Amino acid sequence: MPAMGSMSCKVAIVYHSAGGNTKALAEALASLLPAAGLYRTNEFDLCTLPDYDALIVGTYTWGNGELPAKSAALYKELEQLPIAHLKTGVFGTGETNYNHFCGAVDHFRDMLFAKSQLLVTLKIEQMYQESDLPRLQKFASLFQN
Ligand SMILES: Cc1cc2nc3c(=O)[nH]c(=O)nc-3n(C[C@H](O)[C@H](O)[C@H](O)COP(=O)(O)O)c2cc1C
């Protein structure tokens, strides 16, 4: 662990979940990144982004591979903000029986790839399982220093 006051990566995890699947995944990720802040989309103050080194966005998918409204609002705001300094990651839950599995993750991926330093994306089938842990650990490891 870095000593207090030393340089370490300041990370915000910002997610939207309706039924709890994406919330559970966000919490599992937060437990692997104990120094990160965990926020629902409507709790996070985007004005504080200049203070961060990394932003991790979590969302479920709605409609036909689309962003749910609260995630869409976050997307639109991020699109307008100067975020080139941020390392970013995107995770989401969805269901593989829809045509566009985790389509909302793809939308954020494309925008964050263009606007920030996108490191990684992760798509999980509904409720996060023990067997997903290696992929989640690999995701988290990219934001650990
Ligand atoms: C009306 C409706 C539309 C959905 N559309 C998609 C979709 O296009 N792609 C997908 O992967 N999942 C889709 N899903 C599945 C949800 O994204 C999935 O259940 C997710 O885990 C819910 O996350 P939450 O529990 O965090 O709200 C849809 C679910 C509903 C109810």
Side-chain angles (χ1 to χ4, degrees), residues 87-99:
K87 292 177 188 168
T88 53
V90 188
F91 65 90
T93 69
E95 295 176 28
T96 42
N97 59 346
Y98 285 91
N99 282 340

Side-chain angles (χ1 to χ4, degrees), residues 36-50:
L38 179 63
Y39 307 90
R40 290 179 171 273
T41 45
N42 54 341
E43 289 171 351
F44 186 70
D45 181 0
L46 286 165
C47 297
T48 63
L49 271 183

Side-chain angles (χ1 to χ4, degrees), residues 77-96:
E77 293 196 68
L78 283 174
E79 226 184 352
Q80 303 303 319
L81 287 168
I83 56 171
H85 69 289
L86 289 175
K87 292 177 188 168
T88 53
V90 188
F91 65 90
T93 69
E95 295 176 28
T96 42

Side-chain angles (χ1 to χ4, degrees), residues 16-23 60-66 93-95 98 100-103 126:
H16 175 44
S17 176
N21 292 345
T22 313
K23 180 175 191 279
Y60 66 95
T61 294
W62 197 246
N64 187 18
E66 295 306 318
T93 69
E95 295 176 28
Y98 285 91
H100 300 282
F101 174 55
C102 289
Q126 298 189 71

